[in-house]
Amino acid sequence: MPTINKKLSAVMLGYGYWGRNVAKALQNSSDFELKAIFDLDKSQQDAANTAHHLSTTYKDIQSILEDDSIHSIFIITPPQSHYPLAKLALESGKHIFVEKPLCTNLEEAKELYALAKKKGLSLHCDHIFLYSPAIIWLKENLHLLGNIIYINTRRINLGLFQNSVDVIWDLAIHDLSIIEHLIGLDIKDMEVFTRKYQNHPNDALANINLELTNGVIITINVSWLSPIKVREMIIGGENNTVIYDETKRDKIALYDTGVVIKDTFTPPNLYAKMVEYKLGQTHYPKLQTTMALDNSIAHFAKKITSKDLISHQNDKIHVLKVIDTLQKITALKNNKL
């Protein structure tokens, strides 16, 4: 096992849209040395080697797994391949970084975590927005909102239609991950509405309504059919309201705004309730300038080198809760068909 001052050698599987971003982040990482990129598509493989000046090549995945000089594998491939690839990598003694979702099945995800624990390896699922400066700030300052009343999210775009997952597993997973991280996902009730587009096999639009056991109401709107890209989350509290918008320069806007229920005790309106609106200033907190992907990769490296068991356990609980919620939403959706 390398010392904390030595870079960890890494191989990346997959060089699609997101793989290009991960490759750049790895080459800029102070923790990892990107040794090779492997893609089944030879044109993608050649593009990766050229773009990142890589000379090491492997004939197949098995030859990567058998290379003892490789410490970690980054799995940036279609979701249905995550479980078998992650299992093979763990069985071969490699630490693994997997883009979301870790799996599309809760039992398979539990199996991977059990295998990682048995082998003493780090398993990191990249729920990327948890590592964004905006969400880090929100987690640290959520108390400013007071009791949370509602969360309203929109994650829509004219999207890349996915063949392996629907829009819920592609887009809503991000919002569910953020919400679970901030306030938990103890669900009391849920409603789901979905629609496909033409002959595409997977749902392209979904509205998800959740009621948590603590009374918070959540509405999630996701779509691959919007002509504009929106990444907006509104969190309404009794004291303040915050709008988190990943597309804006000022990604967090804190509004000294809310709705106040005022009791009046004078006749003839004894105990009548009057609604007042509290309107105040808007604040734009200064956030860190680091990139979410860089932070996620650094977190993975720290899990490997420090063997922080608490961090491993917290990450595991979070990922399993998100997958469990996605499975429940999917089951409800399918039962309505």
Side-chain angles (χ1 to χ4, degrees):
M1 179 62 62
T3 66
I4 197 167
N5 293 320
K6 183 178 178 181
K7 281 193 174 186
L8 298 158
S9 58
V11 170
M12 193 179 83
L13 306 182
Y15 194 65
Y17 162 75
W18 190 242
R20 285 161 163 75
N21 293 324
V22 176
K24 290 177 184 177
L26 279 172
Q27 289 206 308
N28 292 328
S29 171
S30 59
D31 300 301
F32 290 95
E33 180 183 4
L34 180 60
K35 302 289 288 187
I37 296 172
F38 180 83
D39 197 291
L40 291 172
D41 185 328
K42 188 179 184 305
S43 64
Q44 295 285 63
Q45 177 75 73
D46 293 342
N49 291 341
T50 300
H52 303 284
H53 309 289
L54 299 171
S55 58
T56 302
T57 59
Y58 294 91
K59 64 179 181 179
D60 53 28
I61 291 175
Q62 188 59 38
S63 60
I64 299 171
L65 300 177
E66 293 173 353
D67 187 345
D68 292 336
S69 70
I70 301 301
H71 304 108
S72 56
I73 294 180
F74 285 68
I75 300 173
I76 319 297
T77 57
Q80 71 271 18
S81 68
H82 291 179
Y83 167 72
L85 288 175
K87 185 176 180 180
L88 284 172
L90 289 170
E91 288 174 340
S92 300
K94 313 298 186 187
H95 303 285
I96 57 171
F97 177 108
V98 187
E99 70 168 325
K100 62 79 183 171
L102 174 61
C103 299
T104 55
N105 178 287
L106 183 62
E107 293 307 312
E108 290 178 348
K110 289 180 178 179
E111 181 186 342
L112 291 180
Y113 278 112
L115 181 58
K117 182 178 181 180
K118 178 182 177 181
K119 293 280 190 176
L121 298 167
S122 293
L123 164 56
H124 179 74
C125 180
D126 183 28
H127 284 244
I128 188 168
F129 290 105
L130 305 191
Y131 307 96
S132 70
I135 296 303
I136 292 171
W137 185 92
L138 263 177
K139 182 69 173 179
E140 294 173 350
N141 294 276
L142 199 65
H143 63 278
L144 298 176
L145 306 186
N147 291 327
I148 305 300
I149 307 301
Y150 70 90
I151 299 177
N152 186 345
T153 80
R154 287 193 303 158
R155 190 174 295 271
I156 62 177
N157 52 261
L158 195 58
L160 296 169
F161 278 57
Q162 304 293 323
N163 291 319
S164 54
V165 293
D166 64 14
V167 72
I168 295 173
W169 283 83
D170 180 42
L171 295 182
I173 185 174
H174 289 304
D175 298 303
L176 292 169
S177 173
I178 293 169
I179 293 166
E180 200 289 325
H181 180 63
L182 294 178
I183 65 171
L185 272 175
D186 295 321
I187 298 171
K188 179 181 178 181
D189 197 12
M190 68 171 67
E191 295 178 341
V192 184
F193 174 86
T194 62
R195 278 291 180 270
K196 291 180 170 62
Y197 179 68
Q198 296 184 357
N199 295 322
H200 192 268
N202 296 319
D203 291 314
L205 179 150
N207 290 321
I208 303 166
N209 298 324
L210 305 175
E211 180 186 2
L212 303 187
T213 55
N214 59 11
V216 177
I217 298 298
I218 296 169
T219 58
I220 299 173
N221 171 225
V222 288
S223 173
W224 289 329
L225 304 176
S226 170
I228 61 171
K229 182 176 181 178
V230 177
R231 298 288 185 266
E232 180 184 76
M233 176 176 287
I234 305 173
I235 306 176
E238 289 185 345
N239 298 336
N240 292 290
T241 298
V242 70
I243 297 181
Y244 160 52
D245 190 333
E246 190 63 35
T247 68
K248 299 276 183 70
R249 185 189 66 179
D250 295 315
K251 300 185 185 306
I252 295 288
L254 181 65
Y255 294 84
D256 182 19
T257 305
V259 177
V260 180
I261 305 296
K262 184 176 181 181
D263 289 316
T264 58
F265 297 94
T266 56
N269 298 315
L270 188 64
Y271 301 114
K273 292 192 173 182
M274 180 174 65
V275 175
E276 293 182 345
Y277 292 93
K278 181 184 71 170
L279 301 175
Q281 294 182 333
T282 303
H283 303 277
Y284 301 95
K286 185 176 180 180
L287 305 177
Q288 301 172 14
T289 57
T290 53
M291 301 295 291
L293 181 55
D294 294 339
N295 292 341
S296 183
I297 290 173
H299 180 74
F300 175 46
K302 185 177 180 181
K303 285 165 67 175
I304 294 172
T305 56
S306 70
K307 296 189 178 295
D308 183 350
L309 298 180
I310 294 177
S311 179
H312 280 78
Q313 182 66 11
N314 289 342
D315 288 354
K316 170 187 170 182
I317 291 171
H318 171 79
V319 172
L320 293 181
K321 185 65 176 179
V322 172
I323 294 176
D324 180 52
T325 302
L326 285 164
Q327 280 200 173
K328 288 176 179 175
I329 290 171
T330 300
L332 178 61
K333 176 196 74 170
N334 291 340
N335 287 338
K336 286 186 174 182
L337 294 179

